[in-house]
């Protein structure tokens, strides 16, 4: 936490606008600092009081015996600006500005006020949290610089979870969820408008806290990627999982986020790709942000995701298998030896294949759990377990079931979740330190998230060693120019990306010669750096079969281009390429995340079906192969109905080449659109048929 130590572990805190009333914004921090055991110095500032909540109160910063490291600015409106400037003048290190009414409500005048505060702070070497911040809370040190109502009924429940948010409410709502499950938090911080210290920068400092074992983020905007990239690197080095809830998936959500934070939202699919690239799990909603928390805190070292389900209900067994299939978690196939041992223990009407249905035998034999679980624990095919006990009344030895399950969990050291709807049953399992969920669907969902996230982190860490950390080139988009198709194809060919055989013809005679050299039939296309979409203007002619026709079409193309007042760069004569599937490869330079490469189903309906995957370079062939596997058309690549597989290796090479091109400053590529790229059978490669490249 060295970077922002004064924000997270200050030695002294002053409160401008301190109140005797702990239910007021200026009174809450004073109350919390005392309640949660802050060991540093506390300096309330209020010119109308001599004492606040038992502490000596001062008229101003100038009257303090020393410069505080942190100041909480709990005065409203424009008074906060003067308070911040006063802090900067008196050597304060961090100011937490709680006042609202700035950039979140007025993108012009409000932002200008924010800049005034930040500039004054930076001139003195001070940093600002906020404005519009609910505050910071470090329960590890007792530094609670927050006015959140949530903490009023909390005891000191220090844990190993950190929650950071741009929103005040969303910094504490997850804390409430976790408290219900008996999970404490160490940090919960709300940065507000991020005028200076952003949620990402603060998260990097929090991630360095060795007591933090899980870091949760709520983001409404990502104005820059630098700190999130640094956070991901620190987290991977520490083996610290990071889960992010990024709002604004829908257009309505993006508009709401803009009005809330005063910042523009990011294109959602690029956010997905960025998080995946860096090993950060993106939660779909609030439940997804917190529901698997206790699994992350168990210290398990999972080896895979093959699931074994055990229940006294056949329905729970079926529903567990359905839920696992829905999230792509395979049911383990138990070994013949395990099956034989189970058959020797269970009655004949019980099911020994996975899922294992104990039926009502559990009622007559309370030792069944204790008998079968050690057998299942030894099976090498099992990576994770779910035990479902939906109902168990009088006659069931639930205490023994829970005790045996806990022993089983310790024996395997593998992930184990419990599905128990009945409160009395759930409480027995919870008392043994087991992770209990109300339904098998919720249990599987949490287990899937945990296991998939750990796999994502492992893959990201492995790639980190092989991926060169290249900084994307800084290219201005202000003077972006489009290359004509011939120059676009030449740029690709120079990079080793296969393009269709072609010639640029600047005269009728050259068109005829090109036809004879390539051999018919050919494609003839008009070429102009002023025209991106040629088909709509009649500038594409397929199946030209004679030298005379090639000459006539050349003249027609010249006439169309000149008629539209566009530059005439010539006419392209190209071979009629063939392939099994039309693929699209595209790329653009996102203003926040840098180069982004898209690959997916191509052709004229590409914008209708939108079956594409995004990748952030640098990436490997394996990364591309994994992305292709997520497409709706993925099954076609392997060949169907007797067809041979397609040449995915060649396609992966081409996509990697585009990623490298986007990272090369010499290429000056701002965006490109390769559609179609014809993909053929294995061993026959792929070829770019049409290309448009924009350079900066």
């Amino acid at each position: 936490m060295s970077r922002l130590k004064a924000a997270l572990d200050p030695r002294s805190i002053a409160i401008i606008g301190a109140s005797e009333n702990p239910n007021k914004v200026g009174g809450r921090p004073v109350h919390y600092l005392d309640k949660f055991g802050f060991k540093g110095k506390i300096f309330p500032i209020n010119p109308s009081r001599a004492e606040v909540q038992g502490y000596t109160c001062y008229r101003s910063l100038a009257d303090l015996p020393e410069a505080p490291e942190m100041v909480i600015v709990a005065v409203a409106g424009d008074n906060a600006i003067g308070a911040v400037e006063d802090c900067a003048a008196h050597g304060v290190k961090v100011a937490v500005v709680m006042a609202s009414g700035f950039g979140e409500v007025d993108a012009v005048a409000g932002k200008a006020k924010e800049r005034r505060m930040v500039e004054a702070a930076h001139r003195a070497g001070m940093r600002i949290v906020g404005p519009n911040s609910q505050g910071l809370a470090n329960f590890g040190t007792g530094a609670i610089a927050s006015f959140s109502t949530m903490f009023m009924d909390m005891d000191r429940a220090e844990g190993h979870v950190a929650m950071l948010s741009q929103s005040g409410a969303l910094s504490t709502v997850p804390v409430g969820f976790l408290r219900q499950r008996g999970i404490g938090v160490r940090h919960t911080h709300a940065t507000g408008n991020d005028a200076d210290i952003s949620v990402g920068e603060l998260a990097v400092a929090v991630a360095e806290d060795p007591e933090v074992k899980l870091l949760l983020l709520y983001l409404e905007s990502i104005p820059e990627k630098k700190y999130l990239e640094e956070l991901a690197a620190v987290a991977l080095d520490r083996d610290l999982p990071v889960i992010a809830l990024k709002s604004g998936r829908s257009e309505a959500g993006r508009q709401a986020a803009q009005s809330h934070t005063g910042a523009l939202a990011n294109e959602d699919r690029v956010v997905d790709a960025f998080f995946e690239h860096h090993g950060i799990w993106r939660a779909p909603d609030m439940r997804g942000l917190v529901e698997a928390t206790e699994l992350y805190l168990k210290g398990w070292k999972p080896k895979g995701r093959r699931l074994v389900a055990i229940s006294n209900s056949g329905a729970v067994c079926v529903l567990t298998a359905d839920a696992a299939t829905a999230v792509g978690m395979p049911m383990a196939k138990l070994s013949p030896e395990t099956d034989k041992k189970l058959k020797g223990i269970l009655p004949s009407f019980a099911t020994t294949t996975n899922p294992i249905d104990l039926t009502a035998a559990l009622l007559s034999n309370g030792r069944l759990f204790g008998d079968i679980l050690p057998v299942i624990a030894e099976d090498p095919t099992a990576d994770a377990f779910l035990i479902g006990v939906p109902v168990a009344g009088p006659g069931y030895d639930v205490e023994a079931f829970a005790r045996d399950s806990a022993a089983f969990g310790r024996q395997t050291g593998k992930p184990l979740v419990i599905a128990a709807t009945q409160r009395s049953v759930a409480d027995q399992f919870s008392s043994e330190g087991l992770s209990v969920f109300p339904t098998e669907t919720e249990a599987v969902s949490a287990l899937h998230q945990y296991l998939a996230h750990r796999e994502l982190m492992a893959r990201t860490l492995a790639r980190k060693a092989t991926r060169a950390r290249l900084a994307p080139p800084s290219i201005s988009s202000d003077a972006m120019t489009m290359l004509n198709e011939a120059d676009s194809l030449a740029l690709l060919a120079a990079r080793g990306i296969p393009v269709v055989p072609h010639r640029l013809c600047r005269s009728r005679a050259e068109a005829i010669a090109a036809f004879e050299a390539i051999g018919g039939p050919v494609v003839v296309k008009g070429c102009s750096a002023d025209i991106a979409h040629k088909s709509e203007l009649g500038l594409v002619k397929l199946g030209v079969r004679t030298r005379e026709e090639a000459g006539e079409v050349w003249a027609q193309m010249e006439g169309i281009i000149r008629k539209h007042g566009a530059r005439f760069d010539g006419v392209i004569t190209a071979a009629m390429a063939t392939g099994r599937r039309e693929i699209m490869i595209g790329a653009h330079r996102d203003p926040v995340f840098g180069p982004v490469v898209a690959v997916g189903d191509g052709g004229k309906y590409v914008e209708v079906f939108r079956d594409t995957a995004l990748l952030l370079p640098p990436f490997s062939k394996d990364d591309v192969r994994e992305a292709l596997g997520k497409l709706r058309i993925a099954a076609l690549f392997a060949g169907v109905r007797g067809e041979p597989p397609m040449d995915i290796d060649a396609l992966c090479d081409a996509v990697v080449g585009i990623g490298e091109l986007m990272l090369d400053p010499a290429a000056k590529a701002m965006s490109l659109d390769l559609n179609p790229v014809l993909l053929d059978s294995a061993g026959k490669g792929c070829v770019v048929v049409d290309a448009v490249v924009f350079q900066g």
Side-chain angles (χ1 to χ4, degrees):
M1 296 184 289
S2 56
R3 170 185 291 170
L4 295 175
K5 185 175 176 61
L8 298 174
D9 187 16
R11 290 177 295 183
S12 54
I13 300 177
I15 305 93
I16 297 178
S19 171
E20 179 68 20
N21 187 346
N23 288 321
K24 290 188 175 181
V25 171
R28 290 264 173 85
V30 181
H31 175 70
Y32 290 153
L33 290 168
D34 182 66
K35 175 181 178 179
F36 291 102
F38 178 62
K39 302 301 184 185
K41 298 176 182 179
I42 301 173
F43 301 121
I45 296 176
N46 187 326
S48 63
R49 302 191 67 90
E51 184 179 283
V52 167
Q53 298 184 39
Y55 292 95
T56 300
C57 189
Y58 299 86
R59 292 183 57 82
S60 68
L61 277 172
D63 295 322
L64 298 184
E66 62 185 72
E69 288 197 338
M70 173 189 284
V71 169
I72 300 169
V73 179
V75 293
D78 289 352
N79 290 331
I81 301 175
V84 167
E85 292 172 337
D86 198 23
C87 289
H90 283 86
V92 174
K93 293 183 179 179
V94 172
V96 179
V97 184
M98 295 175 170
S100 58
F102 293 89
E104 79 279 4
V105 295
D106 190 332
V108 179
K111 285 293 184 184
K113 292 177 181 179
E114 289 181 7
R115 286 194 296 272
R116 175 181 163 185
M117 286 191 289
V118 172
E119 288 168 1
H122 285 188
R123 282 195 297 269
M126 187 177 81
R127 303 298 305 275
I128 292 177
V129 175
N132 190 34
S133 167
Q134 186 170 273
L136 312 180
N138 182 346
F139 292 98
T141 64
I144 314 299
S146 170
F147 66 89
S148 171
T149 305
M150 176 73 71
F151 308 149
M152 292 299 283
D153 62 349
M154 282 177 59
D155 295 323
R156 183 165 182 144
E158 183 184 334
H160 298 284
V161 179
M163 176 71 222
L164 292 96
S165 169
Q166 290 168 321
S167 159
L170 268 294
S171 71
T172 53
V173 169
V175 175
F177 276 111
L178 296 177
R179 286 182 63 213
Q180 292 172 13
R181 297 187 68 87
I183 301 171
V185 296
R186 184 171 177 86
H187 297 266
T188 174
H189 307 303
T191 57
N193 290 3
D194 286 11
D196 181 19
I197 297 175
S198 68
V199 69
E201 183 180 3
L202 191 63
V204 175
V206 171
E208 294 171 348
D209 183 344
E211 292 299 318
V212 173
K213 297 181 180 178
L214 175 66
L215 194 148
L216 309 178
L217 287 174
Y218 173 74
L219 305 170
E220 288 178 343
S221 65
I222 305 176
E224 64 175 357
K225 66 174 182 173
K226 176 176 68 173
Y227 290 118
L228 289 180
E229 286 182 329
E230 188 176 351
L231 167 64
V234 170
L236 284 174
D237 286 342
R238 276 203 56 214
D239 195 31
L240 171 67
V242 178
I243 306 173
L245 174 56
K246 168 67 172 67
S247 61
R249 286 185 179 273
S250 66
E251 181 58 34
R254 285 191 287 273
Q255 291 296 327
Q258 184 171 343
S259 63
H260 189 188
T261 66
L264 294 175
N266 305 96
E267 206 282 315
D268 196 64
R269 295 185 66 231
V270 181
V271 175
D272 280 339
F274 175 82
F275 285 153
E276 183 171 355
H277 185 81
H278 291 287
I280 297 172
W281 183 265
R282 184 174 186 183
D285 49 32
M286 178 58 66
R287 180 173 292 278
L289 182 68
V290 298
E291 69 176 346
T293 295
E294 60 192 274
L295 306 189
Y296 287 93
L297 303 179
K298 293 291 186 181
W300 292 322
K301 301 295 182 184
K303 304 296 184 184
R305 50 192 289 104
R306 294 169 296 183
L307 179 65
V308 173
I310 308 154
S311 180
N312 62 332
S313 163
V316 168
C317 288
V318 174
L319 291 173
T320 300
D322 286 345
T325 300
V327 297
M329 184 179 297
M331 300 299 291
K333 184 175 177 58
L334 298 176
S335 69
E337 183 179 355
T338 299
D339 185 67
K340 181 179 179 181
K341 289 181 179 179
L342 291 176
K343 280 184 166 63
I345 299 170
L346 294 172
S348 59
F349 50 83
T351 303
T352 58
T353 55
N354 185 27
I356 300 167
D357 180 10
L358 304 179
T359 69
L362 198 58
L363 179 60
S364 58
N365 182 1
R367 296 179 54 192
L368 268 183
F369 262 115
D371 291 339
I372 69 167
L373 291 179
V375 174
I376 298 169
E378 295 175 359
D379 194 291
T381 66
D383 298 316
F385 306 93
L386 182 148
I387 294 175
V389 185
V391 179
Y396 286 94
D397 191 351
V398 178
E399 184 178 351
F401 301 161
R403 186 172 58 248
D404 291 340
S405 298
F408 167 72
R410 291 190 295 271
Q411 179 185 355
T412 66
K414 297 177 181 179
L416 167 65
V417 292
I418 310 297
T421 305
Q422 194 173 345
R423 185 71 265 169
S424 59
V425 175
D427 288 345
Q428 287 281 3
F429 282 92
S430 294
S431 68
E432 293 288 344
L434 296 166
S435 299
V436 185
F437 297 86
T439 68
E440 60 286 333
T441 301
E442 291 168 278
V444 168
S445 175
L447 188 59
H448 157 69
Q449 174 183 323
Y450 168 72
L451 293 174
H453 190 186
R454 298 300 311 193
E455 288 177 350
L456 174 63
M457 291 176 64
R459 290 196 305 269
T460 306
L461 189 61
R463 293 170 187 156
K464 186 180 176 183
T466 58
R467 281 196 294 219
R469 292 306 303 157
L470 300 175
S474 178
I475 302 172
S476 173
S477 60
D478 296 337
M480 195 164 62
T481 59
M482 186 183 80
L483 301 183
N484 65 37
E485 186 177 357
D487 289 341
S488 297
L489 291 171
L491 178 65
L492 299 175
R495 302 281 171 159
I497 298 169
V499 301
V500 64
H502 67 282
R503 288 189 180 185
L504 177 63
C505 308
R506 292 185 170 84
S507 67
R508 179 192 289 260
E510 287 184 1
I512 294 171
F515 174 88
E516 292 176 338
I518 294 172
V522 296
V523 179
V524 179
K525 297 185 284 186
C527 185
S528 171
D530 295 328
I531 300 174
H533 303 289
K534 298 180 285 294
S535 299
E536 290 87 342
L537 300 180
L539 289 174
V540 179
K541 177 71 172 179
L542 304 177
V544 175
R545 297 182 177 277
T546 66
R547 60 196 302 275
E548 291 77 17
E549 186 182 5
E552 292 171 5
V553 174
W554 183 94
Q556 293 170 7
M557 299 291 180
E558 180 187 20
I560 293 171
I561 292 173
R562 296 194 185 282
K563 176 183 176 182
H564 284 84
R567 282 174 288 180
F568 177 65
D569 296 329
V571 170
I572 292 174
T573 301
M576 288 281 289
T578 60
R580 297 254 312 278
R581 189 78 187 184
E582 292 186 339
I583 300 296
M584 181 278 294
I585 304 174
H588 75 280
R589 201 167 296 280
D590 185 272
V592 173
F593 299 109
V596 181
V597 176
V599 59
D601 202 10
K604 64 180 181 179
Y605 299 123
V606 63
E607 294 177 353
V608 177
F609 296 122
R610 300 178 67 83
D611 186 17
T612 57
L614 303 185
L615 294 147
L616 273 61
F619 49 77
S620 67
K621 284 183 65 173
D622 287 340
D623 296 331
V624 180
R625 193 181 299 275
E626 183 179 334
L628 293 173
K630 298 176 182 177
L631 299 176
R632 292 195 296 274
I633 63 168
L636 301 179
F637 295 144
V640 296
R641 290 186 171 272
E643 296 174 342
M646 298 184 197
D647 201 337
I648 295 302
D649 272 346
L651 178 58
C652 290
D653 285 335
V655 177
V656 168
I658 294 302
E660 293 172 348
L661 183 150
M662 293 298 293
L663 288 175
D664 186 353
K668 299 182 180 180
M670 288 297 300
S671 73
L672 55 86
D673 182 10
L674 316 183
N675 184 27
V677 178
L678 295 180
L679 178 61
D680 215 329
S681 300
K684 296 184 178 180
C686 66
V687 61
V688 178
V689 174
D690 199 353
V692 177
V693 175
F694 287 84
Q695 289 183 321

